[in-house]
Amino acid sequence: MTHATTPVPHPEGVSEEEFRAAMARLAAGVVLVTAHDPEEGARGEDVGMTATAFMSVSLDPPLVLISLRDGSRMDELLERQELWAVSVLTEGQRQTAGRFAMKGRLSDRLLFQELPHTHGTSTGAPLVDGALAAVECRTEQRIAAGDHTLLVGRVLATRLGTSEGGPLLYHSGRYRSLG
């Protein structure tokens, strides 16, 4: 006789599955967080990561916040160096979001070879061509938060992109678009 396993709640009473299901109901914009790793290879390597936990924090000074999973390649890179960028993806850039979100994916070098982009003048980080907007940032503060690190970044430069189409959203475990 087998017993069904029940989710083990945290001491506060919410299981990881229950929390994940509740948060999946929140629609979030999809961004590509990027940075250039000067220590990787002879000329360095561009690194990217899809994220939905990104927000504006302050207008004066201009600050944004991004959440990175502890131990991720991006978290390790941005612990060593402070310059990074975020490209706000359009509904037409769903494939880009999916590729940079895959676990065990191809190397970032190969992904960037197929992705039209330029490098930011303030950070050297890749900025996705055709994105709705891009912001280049310098880390002001790192905050430990459970199994993630919150980075507060000062916005050094912005770039407005296309006004065609809407933002790419993530809701209930799927990429979606407005309308």
Side-chain angles (χ1 to χ4, degrees):
M1 184 167 152
T2 60
H3 296 282
T5 58
T6 57
V8 178
H10 290 280
E12 292 79 20
V14 173
S15 73
E16 188 174 303
E17 292 81 13
E18 290 169 325
F19 179 68
R20 187 172 288 159
M23 292 299 99
R25 304 292 169 95
L26 176 66
V30 181
V31 301
L32 187 65
V33 182
T34 58
H36 183 77
D37 186 351
E39 297 177 15
E40 188 68 36
R43 292 181 294 160
E45 182 173 314
D46 293 333
V47 178
M49 176 194 93
T50 302
T52 56
F54 173 72
M55 63 182 276
S56 168
V57 174
S58 169
L59 189 58
D60 185 19
L63 300 174
V64 294
L65 180 138
I66 190 78
S67 179
L68 305 172
R69 185 176 52 252
D70 289 344
S72 68
R73 183 171 183 198
M74 188 63 71
D75 180 46
E76 291 173 359
L77 171 57
L78 296 183
E79 192 169 24
R80 286 188 278 120
Q81 67 106 357
E82 60 185 14
L83 299 174
W84 46 282
V86 171
S87 294
V88 179
L89 300 180
T90 69
E91 57 195 357
Q93 294 171 320
R94 185 177 299 232
Q95 186 176 20
T96 297
R99 285 183 174 176
F100 280 92
M102 290 184 342
K103 288 181 174 47
R105 65 180 184 247
L106 300 170
S107 76
D108 283 4
R109 184 180 309 274
L110 292 175
L111 290 175
F112 278 109
Q113 282 178 356
E114 297 176 3
L115 178 66
H117 67 281
T118 57
H119 287 89
T121 57
S122 296
T123 61
L127 307 176
V128 178
D129 292 351
L132 291 173
V135 293
E136 294 184 76
C137 304
R138 181 185 66 241
T139 301
E140 292 272 309
Q141 192 174 7
R142 290 178 61 89
I143 304 160
D147 59 1
H148 279 63
T149 299
L150 305 177
L151 289 188
V152 176
R154 179 176 298 250
V155 177
L156 304 174
T158 62
R159 180 175 85 178
L160 295 180
T162 183
S163 59
E164 300 294 317
L168 180 60
L169 301 176
Y170 194 74
H171 179 263
S172 293
R174 293 183 29 210
Y175 294 117
R176 301 179 188 263
S177 54
L178 289 176

